[in-house]
Amino acid sequence: MRYYYPTDLAPVLDLERSVREWSISRILFLLGAPLVGIVLLGMTFSTYRIVSHYLNRAYARNAQTRALAQAHEIKQCLLEARNEIQFLARSNPTPDSIRNYMALKPQTQRDRYREIAFHGPKPDDNFVLLNTGDSIWQLPAEQANAIKFGVFSHQNGPAEMNSDYVQVTQPVQTYYSSVPYRGSTQNMEFSVIRFTTQTFDTEGKANGVLTISLDLLVVHRIMSLFSSSQSPLFIFPQDRERTISFFFDSSGWLLFASGFSDNQKKGLSVDTLRSGLQGDIGRPGFDSAFRPSPLHEKYWTMVASVQSGNSGQLALGPLFNNPSNSGSDLFLNYAPIEFPETLLSSPTIVGGIGCMDTSFMFMSATYEVIMALSVALFTAIVLTLGTFYFLHRRISRPVTTLASAVEKRTLGGDASHLEISPLPKELHHLQHTINTLLLQLQTARNEASIRQEMILGELHRQPVYLDKLIKANQSSVQGQSHDPECGIVGQSQAVLNLRAMIQKAAQVMADVLIIGETGTGKELAAEAIHRSSPRAGGPFISINCGALDENLLLDALFGHVKGAFSEAKTDRKGAFLAASSGTLHLDEIGNASPKVQQALLRALSVRHIRPLGSDQDVPFDARVIAATNVDLLECVKNGTFREDLYYRLAVITISTPPLRQRKEDLPLLVHYFLTETTQSQNKPAIDLSRGALDKLLRYDWPGNIRELKNSMTRAVTFAEGGILLASHIILGNTTNSTASDTPPAYPAPGMPPARTLPGEFPPKEHIADQNSSRSPLVAQIEITDQLNPRQKKAWPILLASGGTNRAEYQNAVGEKISVRTAQYDLQDMVNKGLLVKSGKGPASRYILADGVL
């Protein structure tokens, strides 16, 4: 009688079932929670849109106010210059009177004006006064006339002006040479706006033209002030680079931007604005000016609006529509600079102020709003989910507790009496019925256990047919060579990868570093590379760097000449020269001393060696293959191994896998070592029992292949009879050795099972003896009678393909079964002897066992 324990693997979300069949938790979390979340999310989004809209409007107005305030302050400076020139024009303008007048003004107001010039009807009446900041110096007449773009370089106004008319010119740059300044003679440059008006004598006749120039550094200081934290409109801490203002003339030429030093030697600049823009450089009279090309439509839209006397704000976007500007300007505001040439006429547009505000105030405010709304939304969702969870626990927890207890006893083999309290009254009757079923289940299990132990005792002593296991594993890696290569035995993927790496490394002449634990076959891998390479005809010399002291190792590697030391009676080639046209294997390279490491680094770098006692370098033609069982990178960090030598050796790195990572090769290795040992000891062939193989599979093999070979040699030496039992195999770990006679609960990869589930018959192929007939009881059981409905549906496909994996089995069943159910069915067929498992994890494959067909 068989017992089958299906697992409860119902999916969390089953939309094919009616909503009325859903559990309470599904209704709460799949219907209630999303509806509440959608409502809260909609409220949060609406609130954010409203708040961000009004924040944007408020900050846009503040940015526009900043531009208008700068234009107003600059206009006030122009009006003060108008008042100054009109005052001087009403007096008798002479150099001395102007000097006295300027000397009475405060330093800050006096330094606003750089040039004061008078152009009279006679050349002798002309004079130019230059304010250097240290003094007011009169420029010689011949020098004043020769200055390019000077005050006398062009006609300063119309032939006739009234006393109220003040003409303003476009900003210019002028250069003065040989100006006395602080005890020395220097060249000075000024950027100014000139104001011109006529002077009249006592009879009301025009007797000349007076010119005064306003230093543009005054305008620059105003713009820099409004772009700094000392601004009268400052409302939020921000970097100066986030707000920048620029001045342009009425023709659209950019003259300077805010944020630069007041030092006259540096002058005014538009370098921060020119970056990434196309246009013209240098306006007549202003060499540092820059005019963007017509491609920048946003800029010229702003210039056209200023020329019309309008202020405004442009749409958001990159500055001047420059695609290369990755920054996103939040606001671009502008305002015209107006100057009334007469009190009754329309003002003249001198230029304009542009203000780009890319500060993070608006962005920071929106971030804070988003953060506050997010916290509120998250809190509301958490409280809602918490309420739903509380209701779910109060309603369904007793049922879940009872179901979990029953499932644990059913699947875990514990059929003891079930007693859970407190439970609702309705569930007490169900608990009583479950306890009755558990008692019957325990009785059936005890009977099956007795029969199973009898069968297992016999199976544990039966021989394992290693050749069949090897053949079954070979079918899962078709197309690969399984012949030992230089003693490298194995058919696992790790060994196949190692052989592929050896073949690739053999085709090039680069140095190789082989890393691996002790006993994993590093020297065999090195010899395999040598034999597969074009150097196979040359010698293969192996030197153990850990077996010799420093001096002996240096002598063994590099050799010596006669007379190098007292015992050097003849020349000695050394390993590098002895391995000429072949391969030099340096084993345990990690144990080499610093002196040896330095000598090896030089030899590998220049491919020359110098024998001890010789003055000549000798070239060598040998490929170097180093091997180590330590982590060289860790040694590099600890300072015990040279980093440059490591990277010199590790041109090609090959790792030899430890035995514990390729236990599927154990049957092939055991068969190889048993054959080799019996032949060397002239003994007849000996078989391996199932218990012995189980013991080998459970061991971790810290000594790897070398330990396995020694164990097999020792077991064959002391074994009596034609089969090796578990007691004949002595392993390094005594704990594992004493418990080795107990078969494992689950089969090893590629091995038939040694234990069956309660109530199951043992596999047919392992009960039958090689020279006896099949058990009558097993012979009467048909294979299909052992399978559940899902297994029966997939069985024809398994027979046709010869095997399957978990994903293919799910597709063959076609019922959207879960991963756990598929694994359970496949393991069940393995335990029944129908399939053999090969590999681990996602690479596991289930192959038809021998005798099934």
Side-chain angles (χ1 to χ4, degrees):
M1 181 178 180
R2 298 183 181 277
Y3 296 94
Y4 173 68
Y5 308 103
T7 55
D8 185 12
L9 298 175
V12 176
L13 180 59
D14 188 2
L15 298 179
E16 295 181 356
R17 302 181 63 183
S18 173
V19 177
R20 288 180 294 182
E21 298 180 5
W22 283 14
S23 65
I24 297 175
S25 59
R26 287 182 184 176
I27 295 175
L28 290 176
F29 288 100
L30 300 182
L31 294 181
L35 291 177
V36 174
I38 291 173
V39 173
L40 293 176
L41 186 61
M43 295 175 59
T44 303
F45 181 74
S46 300
T47 304
Y48 164 73
R49 291 297 300 270
I50 294 172
V51 172
S52 61
H53 171 71
Y54 284 102
L55 280 175
N56 182 59
R57 292 183 59 184
Y59 195 66
R61 291 182 179 181
N62 175 265
Q64 180 65 16
T65 303
R66 183 181 294 113
L68 294 174
Q70 294 183 58
H72 174 75
E73 289 295 326
I74 295 173
K75 181 179 179 180
Q76 290 301 116
C77 288
L78 301 182
L79 292 178
E80 290 180 8
R82 174 191 178 91
N83 295 334
E84 290 288 352
I85 193 172
Q86 286 184 334
F87 177 80
L88 292 174
R90 291 190 183 95
S91 62
N92 184 18
T94 63
D96 293 336
S97 63
I98 293 176
R99 282 197 188 96
N100 295 334
Y101 173 76
M102 298 299 291
L104 295 176
K105 299 180 73 64
Q107 179 73 25
T108 55
Q109 296 184 11
R110 183 171 65 247
D111 288 344
R112 289 185 175 186
Y113 309 103
R114 293 301 177 186
E115 300 170 330
I116 303 176
F118 178 76
H119 191 190
K122 299 178 182 181
D124 295 339
D125 296 335
N126 297 345
F127 66 86
V128 176
L129 296 180
L130 191 64
N131 183 7
T132 64
D134 188 35
S135 63
I136 297 178
W137 176 68
Q138 183 172 357
L139 194 68
E142 61 278 4
Q143 184 178 355
N145 294 325
I147 294 177
K148 188 177 181 181
F149 300 109
V151 291
F152 296 151
S153 62
H154 57 85
Q155 181 66 30
N156 291 308
E160 294 184 1
M161 302 183 194
N162 56 42
S163 60
D164 187 44
Y165 185 85
V166 177
Q167 184 186 36
V168 63
T169 64
Q170 288 296 315
V172 296
Q173 289 177 331
T174 181
Y175 302 87
Y176 294 94
S177 59
S178 302
V179 178
Y181 179 71
R182 295 186 180 181
S184 63
T185 302
Q186 299 184 11
N187 297 329
M188 304 191 74
E189 172 189 346
F190 299 108
S191 300
V192 296
I193 298 177
R194 292 178 177 141
F195 301 87
T196 303
T197 188
Q198 279 193 340
T199 60
F200 300 88
D201 57 14
T202 56
E203 297 178 357
K205 295 181 180 182
N207 62 353
V209 177
L210 182 65
T211 302
I212 187 171
S213 62
L214 176 67
D215 195 346
L216 285 180
L217 286 175
V218 177
V219 179
H220 177 270
R221 282 193 289 269
I222 294 174
M223 295 165 56
S224 299
L225 174 64
F226 278 88
S227 300
S228 67
S229 59
Q230 286 76 35
S231 170
L233 300 178
F234 177 77
I235 60 173
F236 193 82
Q238 53 191 338
D239 297 335
R240 293 181 62 188
E241 291 78 2
R242 298 299 180 186
T243 303
I244 182 171
S245 301
F246 53 89
F247 183 91
F248 56 93
D249 63 14
S250 59
S251 299
W253 286 89
L254 286 170
L255 302 183
F256 57 89
S258 62
F260 294 96
S261 173
D262 290 345
N263 191 342
Q264 298 182 21
K265 294 182 179 180
K266 293 186 178 180
L268 304 176
S269 173
V270 290
D271 291 343
T272 55
L273 298 178
R274 285 176 48 192
S275 177
L277 300 181
Q278 299 178 4
D280 302 326
I281 301 176
R283 190 203 72 185
F286 214 104
D287 295 339
S288 62
F290 174 74
R291 181 173 62 185
S293 69
L295 297 176
H296 307 290
E297 298 179 2
K298 183 172 295 186
Y299 174 76
W300 289 108
T301 301
M302 175 186 65
V303 172
S305 180
V306 169
Q307 290 173 346
S308 301
N310 299 322
S311 61
Q313 185 179 80
L314 295 181
L316 307 181
L319 174 62
F320 306 151
N321 285 337
N322 178 22
S324 63
N325 188 358
S326 60
S328 178
D329 306 324
L330 298 178
F331 302 103
L332 177 57
N333 305 276
Y334 57 89
I337 307 298
E338 300 176 338
F339 177 77
E341 293 186 334
T342 63
L343 297 179
L344 300 179
S345 63
S346 299
T348 302
I349 303 299
V350 179
I353 285 292
C355 182
M356 291 187 301
D357 194 337
T358 60
S359 63
F360 285 107
M361 177 183 177
F362 172 73
M363 194 177 300
S364 176
T366 54
Y367 285 166
E368 292 183 6
V369 171
I370 293 174
M371 182 63 67
L373 293 177
S374 300
V375 171
L377 176 62
F378 177 76
T379 303
I381 292 177
V382 169
L383 292 177
T384 302
L385 293 177
T387 303
F388 288 169
Y389 179 73
F390 175 75
L391 295 175
H392 161 68
R393 296 274 290 180
R394 292 288 296 171
I395 296 173
S396 60
R397 184 175 182 181
V399 179
T400 304
T401 302
L402 182 60
S404 177
V406 173
E407 182 180 7
K408 184 182 297 184
R409 280 166 169 74
T410 303
L411 298 180
D414 182 13
S416 60
H417 187 72
L418 183 64
E419 187 64 38
I420 300 177
S421 62
L423 284 177
K425 182 178 180 181
E426 292 79 3
L427 296 181
H428 276 294
H429 300 291
L430 180 60
Q431 181 176 253
H432 176 72
T433 304
I434 291 173
N435 285 330
T436 302
L437 294 175
L438 289 176
L439 181 60
Q440 296 177 358
L441 178 62
Q442 183 63 36
T443 302
R445 283 181 173 175
N446 291 337
E447 294 176 357
S449 178
I450 295 174
R451 290 188 301 162
Q452 178 182 344
E453 292 300 328
M454 296 175 60
I455 296 173
L456 289 178
E458 180 63 25
L459 288 175
H460 199 54
R461 292 184 291 272
Q462 287 183 356
V464 176
Y465 305 113
L466 294 177
D467 52 348
K468 293 184 178 181
L469 294 179
I470 296 171
K471 182 179 179 181
N473 284 340
Q474 285 178 349
S475 63
S476 63
V477 285
Q478 293 294 333
Q480 301 288 345
S481 175
H482 307 289
D483 298 330
E485 181 177 353
C486 296
I488 301 177
V489 179
Q491 58 192 22
S492 64
Q493 189 60 46
V495 174
L496 297 180
N497 293 339
L498 176 61
R499 291 176 177 173
M501 288 293 295
I502 289 174
Q503 292 298 326
K504 292 178 181 179
Q507 304 307 315
V508 296
M509 293 299 105
D511 295 336
V512 180
L513 176 63
I514 302 176
I515 57 176
E517 299 178 6
T518 299
T520 55
K522 297 186 293 297
E523 187 169 356
L524 293 178
E527 189 173 355
I529 294 174
H530 169 73
R531 293 186 179 181
S532 301
S533 68
R535 294 177 174 265
F540 178 81
I541 296 179
S542 180
I543 299 294
N544 192 328
C545 298
L548 301 174
D549 63 13
E550 182 179 279
N551 293 328
L552 291 178
L553 180 58
L554 288 173
D555 186 50
L557 290 173
F558 303 103
H560 60 260
V561 297
K562 179 179 179 181
F565 48 90
S566 58
E567 298 178 0
K569 305 301 183 181
T570 58
D571 293 344
R572 181 179 181 179
K573 283 186 177 181
F576 276 98
L577 295 180
S580 179
S581 301
T583 303
L584 174 59
H585 176 225
L586 301 178
D587 197 10
E588 305 300 340
I589 190 66
N591 296 330
S593 65
K595 184 176 180 181
V596 175
Q597 294 179 28
Q598 182 178 4
L600 288 175
L601 175 63
R602 180 184 181 277
L604 295 176
S605 300
V606 300
R607 311 305 287 189
H608 284 71
I609 63 169
R610 179 173 294 182
L612 182 63
S614 175
D615 295 332
Q616 300 295 328
D617 288 344
V618 181
F620 67 90
D621 179 22
R623 182 183 192 178
V624 176
I625 301 178
T628 180
N629 61 354
V630 297
D631 188 351
L632 291 184
L633 284 177
E634 188 66 26
C635 295
V636 169
K637 294 179 182 179
N638 298 334
T640 58
F641 197 82
R642 296 179 64 100
E643 183 178 10
D644 46 5
L645 178 57
Y646 170 78
Y647 288 110
R648 178 66 66 176
L649 291 171
V651 179
I652 299 176
T653 303
I654 297 177
S655 298
T656 54
L659 182 56
R660 63 179 175 275
Q661 294 181 3
R662 57 184 189 104
K663 286 190 177 181
E664 57 267 37
D665 287 334
L666 267 173
L668 183 60
L669 290 168
V670 170
H671 183 268
Y672 179 83
F673 289 137
L674 285 179
T675 303
E676 182 183 58
T677 304
T678 53
Q679 290 177 356
S680 63
Q681 297 182 5
N682 295 323
K683 287 188 174 183
I686 190 170
D687 293 327
L688 189 71
S689 69
R690 179 176 299 279
L693 182 58
D694 291 341
K695 182 176 181 179
L696 296 176
L697 289 171
R698 292 196 306 273
Y699 189 54
D700 283 339
W701 299 106
N704 296 295
I705 307 297
R706 185 180 294 119
E707 184 179 4
L708 175 63
K709 180 179 180 180
N710 293 340
S711 298
M712 292 296 98
T713 303
R714 181 168 53 247
V716 171
T717 302
F718 295 101
E720 296 179 357
I723 185 170
L724 282 180
L725 301 177
S727 58
H728 294 149
I729 299 177
I730 302 175
L731 302 176
N733 191 327
T734 57
T735 303
N736 290 345
S737 299
T738 57
S740 61
D741 293 334
T742 303
Y746 298 99
M751 289 297 301
R755 183 183 296 274
T756 58
L757 292 177
E760 289 185 342
F761 291 104
K764 297 177 290 182
E765 56 186 305
H766 302 301
I767 293 181
D769 187 76
Q770 195 173 19
N771 299 320
S772 63
S773 61
R774 180 174 295 188
S775 171
L777 180 61
V778 177
Q780 296 175 5
I781 299 176
E782 295 294 335
I783 291 179
T784 55
D785 293 339
Q786 308 176 34
L787 305 178
N788 59 42
R790 294 187 303 274
Q791 294 169 336
K792 290 180 180 179
K793 186 175 182 180
W795 183 248
I797 300 177
L798 295 180
L799 291 177
S801 60
T804 184
N805 56 26
R806 189 261 306 160
E808 293 175 356
Y809 179 82
Q810 287 180 285
N811 295 333
V813 174
E815 299 178 356
K816 296 183 179 179
I817 62 174
S818 65
V819 174
R820 183 177 176 185
T821 302
Q823 291 175 341
Y824 177 87
D825 289 348
L826 292 171
Q827 186 62 44
D828 180 61
M829 287 189 282
V830 170
N831 294 336
K832 293 173 181 177
L834 304 178
L835 299 178
V836 176
K837 184 179 180 182
S838 175
K840 296 182 178 180
S844 298
R845 187 162 183 85
Y846 300 84
I847 306 168
L848 290 177
D850 291 343
V852 172
L853 298 177

